[in-house]
Amino acid sequence: MEAESHIIGTCDLKGTTQAPREAREAVREILGDAHPRLWDIELAASEMVTNSVVHSLSSNGALVTVVLIDLGDAVRIEVIDAGSPPWPHVLRDELAESGRGLFLVNELSRGRWSHYADEAGRTVWAEIARGESW
């Protein structure tokens, strides 16, 4: 029987340069210091929120929401913003000075991330498994 998923915490942020730090603090508060993948989840959430602040219509102080969902064997991070083109993608240019955030998310989630758009805006999500820490 599959474990039920449930929301374990949410955080509404303003799309500003402080939002990634605030997202890390919220993740730490929601999960607690003892979570085995705390650092990885904080990093993934921070990178996803940074993308929202830099690349979406949620920049300049508009709403960015972080949702943490317990899947039993993993934590799902969802970052919801106002959206904008282009669609999120992993940058493969190792010499680029920026733009590697989703590369990190992809590595931390072992490829278990994606995105979709709906009436709420754009949601980028990633699932960080409990037992796969670096």
Side-chain angles (χ1 to χ4, degrees):
M1 187 168 148
E2 201 170 301
E4 275 190 49
S5 64
H6 63 279
I7 294 174
I8 54 178
T10 64
C11 177
D12 288 333
L13 308 167
K14 290 184 179 182
T16 67
T17 57
Q18 290 80 29
R21 176 185 50 79
E22 293 168 350
R24 286 190 303 274
E25 291 170 357
V27 166
R28 191 175 313 112
E29 184 176 316
I30 293 165
L31 294 179
D33 290 335
H35 193 282
R37 297 289 306 272
L38 176 63
W39 189 86
D40 294 336
I41 296 167
E42 282 180 314
L43 179 57
S46 175
E47 292 296 338
M48 294 162 68
V49 169
T50 297
N51 282 348
S52 289
V53 171
V54 172
H55 300 293
S56 82
L57 297 173
S58 288
S59 62
N60 298 317
L63 182 66
V64 176
T65 300
V66 178
V67 180
L68 297 181
I69 302 168
D70 185 353
L71 301 177
D73 62 346
V75 172
R76 180 179 172 118
I77 308 157
E78 295 186 351
V79 175
I80 304 158
D81 61 35
S84 70
W87 283 106
H89 61 281
V90 174
L91 184 64
R92 301 281 182 199
D93 182 357
E94 294 178 12
L95 300 176
E97 291 184 23
S98 65
R100 291 188 289 273
L102 284 179
F103 173 80
L104 289 171
V105 171
N106 186 62
E107 293 300 306
L108 292 169
S109 70
R110 304 284 201 246
R112 292 186 304 258
W113 76 275
S114 192
H115 53 81
Y116 61 89
D118 60 18
E119 63 280 349
R122 173 179 53 206
T123 299
V124 179
W125 61 268
E127 294 177 0
I128 309 292
R130 283 191 185 273
E132 296 181 7
S133 185
W134 295 100

